[in-house]
Amino acid sequence: MKIAIYPGSFDPVTYGHLDIIKRSAALFDSLVIGVLSNSAKISLFSPDERVSMIRDLVKEIPNVSVRSYDGLLVNFADEVGASAIIRGLRAVTDFEYELQMAQTNKVENSNIETVFLTTDLHYSYLSSTVVREFASYGGDISAFVPPSVVPLVQEKYNKKRI
Ligand code: ADP
């Protein structure tokens, strides 16, 4: 059984992430989405909120599960029995960091391969940072995130404005 993990911040999850999720679920027997719970990083959504947001979106894909993790990615991969780490590549700007991480993880655990999927052209500009920035100024984010996520993001910024 080939298991892959797709780790990330998903703060919030975007159509770009969902595209990578669907495509990698078709490549592996099982895909575990790992929501990074890093206490040093200030995030808009708590790890639990991000996990439940993604769970709701993938509930119809039978071989996908979602959980949070912290600490070393290779340890998380080991824990779930994964042999591959999925990462998405948007532009050359992603490449340098991703290559460095993939090589570091390979040194840490040579049994785990990093698999890069190139972004769908429609989403190459899309990042969670862009979504947060637009939403913070009251912009329309419906082209970036699924309908169920839009009000959750808006609510965060409405609260901040009060
Ligand atoms: P991280 O903080 O780990 O980069 P992100 O949630 O920003 O977490 O991204 C998780 C993964 O999804 C990364 O591999 C990133 O390159 C990929 N990704 C993010 N947005 C897109 C997109 N629009 N198209 C393809 N891949 C994407």
Side-chain angles (χ1 to χ4, degrees), residues 2-73:
K2 288 275 174 212
I3 303 172
I5 52 170
Y6 177 34
S9 307
F10 307 106
D11 189 36
V13 62
T14 69
Y15 280 129
H17 294 129
L18 280 176
D19 173 60
I20 298 288
I21 291 169
K22 285 178 191 152
R23 286 160 58 202
S24 35
L27 291 174
F28 289 87
D29 298 313
S30 167
L31 178 72
V32 183
I33 301 170
V35 173
L36 179 63
S37 146
N38 180 346
S39 52
K41 208 172 158 185
I42 297 167
S43 56
L44 184 62
F45 289 96
S46 71
D48 285 349
E49 287 173 323
R50 284 176 272 153
V51 166
S52 77
M53 199 187 301
I54 303 170
R55 252 187 210 146
D56 181 55
L57 293 166
V58 301
K59 59 179 185 275
E60 253 119 68
I61 318 177
N63 62 336
V64 176
S65 59
V66 193
R67 46 171 288 187
S68 63
Y69 80 96
D70 60 10
L72 280 181
L73 186 56

Side-chain angles (χ1 to χ4, degrees), residues 4-154:
I5 52 170
Y6 177 34
S9 307
F10 307 106
D11 189 36
V13 62
T14 69
Y15 280 129
H17 294 129
L18 280 176
D19 173 60
I20 298 288
I21 291 169
K22 285 178 191 152
R23 286 160 58 202
S24 35
L27 291 174
F28 289 87
D29 298 313
S30 167
L31 178 72
V32 183
I33 301 170
V35 173
L36 179 63
S37 146
N38 180 346
S39 52
K41 208 172 158 185
I42 297 167
S43 56
L44 184 62
F45 289 96
S46 71
D48 285 349
E49 287 173 323
R50 284 176 272 153
V51 166
S52 77
M53 199 187 301
I54 303 170
R55 252 187 210 146
D56 181 55
L57 293 166
V58 301
K59 59 179 185 275
E60 253 119 68
I61 318 177
N63 62 336
V64 176
S65 59
V66 193
R67 46 171 288 187
S68 63
Y69 80 96
D70 60 10
L72 280 181
L73 186 56
V74 285
N75 291 350
F76 173 55
D78 255 353
E79 219 180 294
V80 300
S83 55
I85 297 168
I86 306 282
R87 296 289 288 174
L89 282 181
R90 280 161 294 190
V92 262
T93 41
D94 280 340
F95 183 74
E96 211 169 321
Y97 173 75
E98 292 294 344
L99 181 68
Q100 193 180 18
M101 284 315 296
Q103 288 173 338
T104 310
N105 287 331
K106 192 82 188 163
V107 172
E108 291 274 328
N109 186 334
S110 60
N111 296 321
I112 300 173
E113 294 289 351
T114 301
V115 176
F116 293 109
L117 294 186
T118 51
T119 181
D120 183 297
L121 276 181
H122 292 105
Y123 307 128
S124 56
Y125 64 92
L126 189 49
S127 69
S128 300
T129 310
V130 163
V131 174
R132 291 196 304 271
E133 226 161 86
F134 254 68
S136 72
Y137 294 110
D140 178 6
I141 54 167
S142 58
F144 310 147
V145 300
S148 61
V149 177
V150 174
L152 302 176
V153 178
Q154 283 169 341

Side-chain angles (χ1 to χ4, degrees), residues 43-44 155-162:
S43 56
L44 184 62
E155 197 187 327
K156 288 280 177 190
Y157 287 104
N158 289 341
K159 269 194 200 142
K160 279 190 180 173
R161 278 194 208 101
I162 292 166

